[in-house]
């Protein structure tokens, strides 16, 4: 059986007034399915298929098929409005409270998620405090499909400006949401679920800095919640940064968009001092974060065998990664981390990658200019080019800032190794100088002094290509 069978072909047109809005779906059929759903969760007689506790754990095939049809039909606004008028959300509340069937719970949350795509219904769902609390409790579910649909529903609501603050406040007042989200990020291997949960976290942090700060601090200031028997139960000691990293490692190979999401979450953390400290003051001194980002830049993204245009495709994830690396590099908080970041192993391949990104942007920029000339009379084309140009400029600014800081820290030994490995030569150094001057003149000048000790001829050649440097030496 298909997971979500196609909606049924209805004979509603044969019964005047039975059609749902402008659709061909039958009100009577929908009513009968919802009525049967009520009977499933509140049977008049004991069901032999029920568990010892008295609740069904499996749906019969016909009921699952029909309720899945409703799930698909709920993407139609007329159907969604009919379900709202029939108080379907209240029926689903009963499902969440009484059902022991994970598949039924998943489908009901999925239907609500479809209904929430329509503004008026989303506002009604969001303002229902009881329903809101019950939906947040679904994040503690052990069923991955249910978690996925719950996350999709939350993201839909958070994306509606009229109700986003309602959900932010509700989540802020529910400490268990933090623990459930962290548990999913740190333990799930379901890439689709991890991506959707990441999108929820990314949206939350983007909407509300206070909530982000609370979640950053949660790793050091734990709350204690009541268990079922009202005795105190200490919650697991989740810290946000390791959970984000674990999720990023899971999605990195299978879902580039998911990796982009988690890198942006890390970037949002670095917009506040507390977030930077949470990264570099981790027990490993930030090594895990640095190693992951370093590996992504040096081994996976924008590689030598990629065409220069790849920088267009990867510009947002690269900007996020380099922004976090830049914030970490500039932080002098932890002595252990400072020693780690000054290791030559963390220098030359990364510097080589930064220069390669700049080289690719130069090649990509030439293509953008050519395309712009070809479509000069097309207003839409010019707008697209300008938008691409804007994102590339952001990437270039971040890349240049990190590169300038790293060049200032180079020693003669680092430079010699860079020359030996091929990361530094006249071509790469010229590209670096071209992009760094004149804004980062001091960094270039400092690097040139070290380079002169390592390779006098190369330093002289660069001075000839950039006369402004010779004037100041």
């Amino acid at each position: 059986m298909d997971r979500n069978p196609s909606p049924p072909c209805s004979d509603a047109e044969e019964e005047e007034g039975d059609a749902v809005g402008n659709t061909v779906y039958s009100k009577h059929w929908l009513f009968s399915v919802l009525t049967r759903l009520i009977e499933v969760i509140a049977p008049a007689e004991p069901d032999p298929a029920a568990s010892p506790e008295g609740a069904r754990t499996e749906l019969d095939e016909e009921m699952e098929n029909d309720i899945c049809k409703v799930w698909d039909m709920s993407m139609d606004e007329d159907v969604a409005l009919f379900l709202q008028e029939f108080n379907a959300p209240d029926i689903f509340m009963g499902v969440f409270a009484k059902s022991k069937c994970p598949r039924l719970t998943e489908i009901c949350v999925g239907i609500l998620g479809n209904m929430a795509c329509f503004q008026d219904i989303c506002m009604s769902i969001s303002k229902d405090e009881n329903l809101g609390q019950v939906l947040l409790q679904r994040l503690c579910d052990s069923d991955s499909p249910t978690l996925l649909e719950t996350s999709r529903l939350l993201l839909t609501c958070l994306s509606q400006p009229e109700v986003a603050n309602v959900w932010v406040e509700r989540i802020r007042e529910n400490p268990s949401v933090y623990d459930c989200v962290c548990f999913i990020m740190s333990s799930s291997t379901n890439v689709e679920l991890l991506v959707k949960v990441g999108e929820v976290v990314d949206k939350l942090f983007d909407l509300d800095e206070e909530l982000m700060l609370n979640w950053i601090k949660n790793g050091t200031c734990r709350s204690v919640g009541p268990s079922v028997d009202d005795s105190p139960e200490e919650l697991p000691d989740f810290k946000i940064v390791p959970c984000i990293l674990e999720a990023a490692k899971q999605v990195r190979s299978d879902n580039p968009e998911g990796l982009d999401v988690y890198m942006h979450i890390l970037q949002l953390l670095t917009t506040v001092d507390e977030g930077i400290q949470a990264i570099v003051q981790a027990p490993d001194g930030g090594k895990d974060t640095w190693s992951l980002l370093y590996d992504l830049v040096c081994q996976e993204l924008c590689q030598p065998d990629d065409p220069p245009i790849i920088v267009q495709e990867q510009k947002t994830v690269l900007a996020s990664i380099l922004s976090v690396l830049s914030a970490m590099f500039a932080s002098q908080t932890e002595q252990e981390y400072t020693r780690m970041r000054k290791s030559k192993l963390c220098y030359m391949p990364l510097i080589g990658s930064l220069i390669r990104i700049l080289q690719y942007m130069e090649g990509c920029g030439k293509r953008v200019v050519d395309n712009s000339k070809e479509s000069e009379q097309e207003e839409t084309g010019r707008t697209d080019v300008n938008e691409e140009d804007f994102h590339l400029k952001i990437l270039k600014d971040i890349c240049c800032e990190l590169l300038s800081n790293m060049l200032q820290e180079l020693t003669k030994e680092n430079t010699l190794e860079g020359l030996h490995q091929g990361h530094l030569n006249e071509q790469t150094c010229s590209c670096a100088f071209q992009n760094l001057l004149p804004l980062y003149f001091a960094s270039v000048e400092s690097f040139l002094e070290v380079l002169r000790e390592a390779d006098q001829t190369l330093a002289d050649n660069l001075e000839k290509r950039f006369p402004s440097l010779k004037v100041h030496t």
Side-chain angles (χ1 to χ4, degrees), residues 8-24:
C9 295
S10 173
D11 298 326
E13 64 271 17
E14 297 179 4
E15 300 181 30
E16 187 177 354
D18 187 47
V20 178
N22 294 320
T23 73
V24 295

Side-chain angles (χ1 to χ4, degrees), residues 1 4 6 18 77 135 199 219 238 240 290 296 326 434:
M1 185 178 67
N4 293 323
S6 298
D18 187 47
E77 185 172 8
L135 288 172
E199 290 175 343
F238 287 119
I240 190 68
W290 181 275
L296 287 170
S326 185
Q434 184 71 41

Side-chain angles (χ1 to χ4, degrees), residues 4 9 17 101 158 164 169 175 183 188 197 205 219 222 231 236 252 256 288 303 356 380 392 409 416 472:
N4 293 323
C9 295
C101 175
L158 288 168
E169 184 65 27
F183 180 76
S188 178
V197 168
F205 286 3
R222 300 301 305 131
S231 61
R252 64 186 288 187
D288 198 16
Q303 293 302 293
R356 181 167 60 250
T380 303
L392 284 175
E409 299 275 351
L416 285 169
H472 290 78

Side-chain angles (χ1 to χ4, degrees), residues 191-192 195 251-260:
V191 171
E192 189 179 5
V195 172
V251 306
R252 64 186 288 187
S253 300
D254 299 322
N255 196 298
E257 291 78 13
L259 180 64
D260 199 342

Side-chain angles (χ1 to χ4, degrees), residues 427-448:
Q427 182 184 14
T428 59
C429 290
S430 294
C431 176
F433 288 12
Q434 184 71 41
N435 284 277
L436 294 177
L437 293 172
L439 184 60
Y440 298 103
F441 183 87
S443 296
V444 174
E445 190 176 42
S446 172
F447 167 66
L448 192 60

